[in-house]
Amino acid sequence: MHNFEYHRPTSVADAVQSLKGAEDGKILAGGMTLIPTLKQRLAAPSDLIDLGAIAELKGIKDEGGMITIGAATPHAMVAESEVVRRVIPALADLAEGIGDPQVRNRGTIGGSIANSDPAADYPAALVGLDATVQTDRRRIKADDFFKGLFETALEEDEIVTAVSFPKPEKACYAKFPNPASRYAMVGVMVARAGGAVRVAVTGAGPCVFRLPEMEQALSGNFSPDAIKGIEISADGLNSDIHGSAAYRAHLVSVMARRAVTDCA
Ligand SMILES: Cc1cc2nc3c(=O)[nH]c(=O)nc-3n(C[C@H](O)[C@H](O)[C@H](O)COP(=O)(O)OP(=O)(O)OC[C@H]3O[C@@H](n4cnc5c(N)ncnc54)[C@H](O)[C@@H]3O)c2cc1C
């Protein structure tokens, strides 16, 4: 690991200040991705700005018809939250299925989405549930947030402060986990709200994407039969030691039907 300056601000304003003042600063949340990256010398930031002491970034609120989760809230807190479990059980289930207890106690929602790993679970939740990302300077709709492989709409010195989820009528997440890491080989979030249906897929492509054909079919008939005949093309899907693009395309269909069945 290379040397770096360590900062532990107690407010978002101070964190932004430290980040702007650093030559090549990086935000540190739970360190679940960042610390191994530093250890492998794949990154060598001049400064690390640890969000761990910023109380305003941690916690879950049910306000204004939305569930708002602070960026530094660990996955375990989302999984165990009484309010999330009651209002959006699919989100609590998704958080409960991430990694292992160590990862769920250190990893955060802000770190997960800022990293935009193609196999991460939260991107499917944000896009499927039509969430909004709040940063220190603006609000970004989930549809506009995830741009590609490990790429988001965040600027270099921008900090995610929270994610707000509208309350769906129904939502379910079905994932086929990698048996070793629990990352999604494929994960599908299906959500219905105000007569419209959203279907968001993670794990299959370079970043989360929606399936408009399935969304349309399910808006007319919210049942697994409505999407049974929809073919998923393997073009552009991920192919690696864990599974081919064709295998992932097949999994997308199976997980989508499973999510709709679970909702019913
Ligand atoms: C063994 C293992 C298994 C895992 N399994 C799963 C799984 O099944 N499903 C899944 O979804 N994930 C999984 N993960 C990922 C994990 O859940 C974490 O969310 C992810 O590693 C990010 O970690 P972190 O929150 O600690 O962020 P860090 O590692 O601290 O940061 C990650 C990146 O995000 C940036 N960042 C962090 N917070 C912010 C912020 N608020 N604003 C702007 N930028 C920020 C950092 O600068 C860094 O670039 C796994 C990880 C491990 C190590």
Side-chain angles (χ1 to χ4, degrees):
M1 223 191 270
H2 292 278
N3 286 341
F4 51 80
E5 289 294 323
Y6 176 75
H7 306 255
R8 197 166 163 83
T10 52
S11 71
V12 173
D14 285 350
V16 172
Q17 205 62 27
S18 301
L19 197 52
K20 280 188 194 298
E23 191 189 325
D24 179 20
K26 268 257 173 234
I27 293 293
L28 174 67
M32 288 291 94
T33 292
L34 187 53
I35 297 295
T37 310
L38 299 184
K39 282 180 158 176
Q40 291 166 39
R41 296 186 166 219
L42 297 171
S46 61
D47 297 66
L48 278 191
I49 296 102
D50 185 347
L51 302 181
I54 307 180
E56 64 191 284
L57 288 182
K58 217 177 266 184
I60 299 167
K61 287 185 216 150
D62 181 359
E63 259 177 15
M66 308 282 253
I67 298 295
T68 297
I69 303 177
T73 306
H75 312 322
M77 202 183 275
V78 177
E80 287 158 16
S81 159
E82 182 277 322
V83 65
V84 178
R85 177 71 53 202
R86 178 167 40 82
V87 180
I88 320 179
L91 188 56
D93 289 344
L94 176 145
E96 196 172 24
I98 292 176
D100 50 43
Q102 288 84 352
V103 169
R104 289 195 291 277
N105 279 290
R106 293 294 310 170
T108 65
I109 187 168
S112 172
I113 65 168
N115 197 44
S116 188
D117 189 298
D121 294 291
Y122 270 123
L126 267 71
V127 173
L129 293 164
D130 196 17
T132 300
V133 178
Q134 299 172 32
T135 76
D136 61 285
R137 64 199 68 167
R138 59 182 170 147
R139 299 165 71 83
I140 310 168
K141 295 292 289 177
D143 280 342
D144 302 322
F145 183 82
F146 299 100
K147 295 288 189 195
L149 188 73
F150 297 109
E151 198 191 336
T152 69
L154 290 172
E155 287 165 21
E156 279 290 309
D157 60 355
E158 191 166 13
I159 299 180
V160 176
T161 55
V163 182
S164 293
F165 295 89
K167 300 174 183 178
E169 289 149 26
K170 277 175 190 247
C172 279
Y173 181 63
K175 137 161 131 167
F176 191 90
N178 177 307
S181 69
R182 316 308 288 174
Y183 270 110
M185 291 275 297
V186 166
V188 180
M189 175 66 82
V190 174
R192 193 171 74 179
V197 175
R198 294 171 73 95
V199 180
V201 180
T202 191
C207 91
V208 60
F209 61 90
R210 289 172 65 187
L211 290 172
E213 200 184 344
M214 280 197 185
E215 293 180 350
Q216 210 172 354
L218 289 168
S219 298
N221 172 17
F222 196 74
S223 85
D225 284 346
I227 53 173
K228 212 172 176 177
I230 295 177
E231 287 279 322
I232 304 294
S233 166
D235 288 352
L237 296 190
N238 300 334
S239 191
D240 54 27
I241 53 165
H242 306 300
S244 66
Y247 182 60
R248 282 188 164 87
H250 175 70
L251 277 180
V252 172
S253 298
V254 176
M255 291 303 116
R257 287 204 301 280
R258 196 171 285 178
V260 177
T261 306
D262 290 350
C263 276

